[in-house]
Amino acid sequence: MRPFGSSGTGSGSGRRGRDPLTGTLADRVSALLDLEVRRAARAGSSHDWILSYAELADGTRLFVKSLSRGSAPTGVLVAEARGLEWLGRSFGSPAIQPLGWDERLLVLPLVEQHEPTPAAAERLGRQLAGTHLTGADSFGADWPGYIGPLPLDNTPARHWPRFYAEQRLRPYLRRALDQGALTPSDARAVEKVVDSVEELAGEPEAPARVHGDLWNGNVLWRERDAVLIDPAAHGGHREADLAMLALFGLPYLDRVRDAYNEVAPLSSGWRGRVALHQLHPLLVHVCLFGAAYRTTAMEAARTAFRSS
């Protein structure tokens, strides 16, 4: 984080209006929270939104996501806020909680990050198990979903294998094909998984309260624990969160998983289903970042199908 008052985006004197962007943002955050924001600084951007830091008059520091001026609200910030609040209504949830939000603005506490520790990883495993066990009314959610900037079909469903096939795999396969990031031959490999999903899914499980986009970048380590950010929250399969933690390499993942199993033991055969659950986020990455993720996605599809 660049300190307030340094060169670049900071508003060094703390006076509003010095910079049109940060001054306007400070006013908007003040109005949303009904608190005085004395300064704000743009930190960068991610997808279609602007990332900023803000500071209240009492010194409390905030993290702010906002839509750029002139862009139409898509619902992505609303979905994130509702997902965080929903995850927060679970046993011991590690999800960060929004301080305020509307269609164009989301305000979160600023997390002071530390190096991960085995003890923090074990606590995360137990908290994640409690979140999953809280459950959901169905697969899907009561709000339109997003994963990153892409729409996520949260239409409630009762049957996980078909929900996963039709609302998680097939839409992103079609998008990747339309973009030219996957070939018809690639599509056939994914379609084999879609057609076999009933056999691949394992024993039926009740809907779990899942984060939905739980790669290691969405885990922020604090001194004694971790918090989760940027969810694509919905009622889903609990193995999906753990599979995604493994996808890009979470520190102390074995500690997380062992602690999780103490609270909510995973079903037999879960290791053989890791690739199945990783296929959805990999297809999303193909849609967002192109053919760079094609090879990994195809490997996951072939591995998932071979496990049938």
Side-chain angles (χ1 to χ4, degrees):
M1 174 181 174
R2 176 178 290 163
F4 288 111
S6 65
S7 61
T9 56
S11 52
S13 69
R15 293 194 300 269
R16 287 188 195 168
R18 184 170 183 177
D19 176 87
L21 174 62
T22 57
T24 300
L25 179 63
D27 288 336
R28 290 166 59 198
V29 175
S30 292
L32 185 68
L33 302 183
D34 195 23
L35 294 168
E36 182 184 352
V37 175
R38 65 185 178 191
R39 46 191 167 183
R42 181 169 174 170
S45 60
S46 176
H47 300 300
D48 299 325
W49 44 89
I50 297 168
L51 309 178
S52 304
Y53 300 108
E55 185 175 309
L56 298 179
D58 66 1
T60 300
R61 305 175 88 182
L62 312 173
F63 183 74
V64 183
K65 298 174 77 170
S66 59
L67 298 184
S68 58
R69 289 186 293 181
S71 63
T74 62
V76 64
L77 298 182
V78 172
E80 181 176 341
R82 292 189 65 180
L84 287 170
E85 289 186 337
W86 184 69
L87 291 171
R89 295 192 294 273
S90 60
F91 178 74
S93 172
I96 199 166
Q97 291 300 286
L99 301 174
W101 53 275
D102 59 25
E103 287 188 332
R104 305 189 66 85
L105 197 66
L106 172 62
V107 183
L108 304 166
L110 183 65
V111 177
E112 182 181 345
Q113 297 187 58
H114 292 259
E115 290 297 313
T117 65
E122 290 168 5
R123 182 172 183 182
L124 174 61
R126 291 189 290 269
Q127 290 178 307
L128 188 61
T131 301
H132 288 171
L133 289 175
T134 301
D137 293 335
S138 64
F139 298 105
D142 292 335
W143 57 88
Y146 285 83
I147 184 161
L150 298 182
L152 189 68
D153 184 358
N154 275 344
T155 303
R158 293 291 174 189
H159 190 57
W160 184 80
R162 297 321 307 170
F163 169 81
Y164 188 62
E166 302 299 334
Q167 296 173 230
R168 292 297 180 264
L169 296 183
R170 206 184 292 277
Y172 303 97
L173 173 60
R174 285 195 295 263
R175 182 184 285 264
L177 277 170
D178 291 343
Q179 293 174 183
L182 294 182
T183 68
S185 176
D186 296 333
R188 286 191 289 273
V190 178
E191 288 287 358
K192 286 182 179 179
V193 177
V194 170
D195 293 341
S196 304
V197 70
E198 300 278 355
E199 293 75 32
L200 298 174
E203 292 297 317
E205 290 208 6
R209 190 165 298 212
V210 300
H211 178 282
D213 192 10
L214 197 53
W215 70 290
N216 64 301
N218 285 341
V219 179
L220 303 185
W221 299 97
R222 299 190 295 195
E223 188 172 7
R224 294 183 177 85
D225 61 3
V227 293
L228 307 183
I229 61 169
D230 294 352
H234 63 280
H237 199 299
R238 64 198 182 107
E239 291 175 10
D241 275 350
L242 292 166
M244 195 161 184
L245 284 176
L247 185 56
F248 298 113
L250 182 80
Y252 301 112
L253 178 59
D254 287 346
R255 296 289 190 105
V256 172
R257 200 157 43 210
D258 289 348
Y260 182 100
N261 269 305
E262 291 174 4
V263 178
L266 292 165
S267 299
S268 62
W270 66 267
R271 292 183 186 274
R273 294 186 292 271
V274 170
L276 174 66
H277 292 291
Q278 290 179 342
L279 183 54
H280 168 238
L282 285 169
L283 288 174
V284 170
H285 275 69
V286 171
C287 294
L288 288 175
F289 306 113
Y293 283 92
R294 172 186 170 273
T295 298
T296 309
M298 291 304 98
E299 288 175 353
R302 288 189 289 268
T303 301
F305 182 73
R306 284 198 300 268
S307 69
S308 61

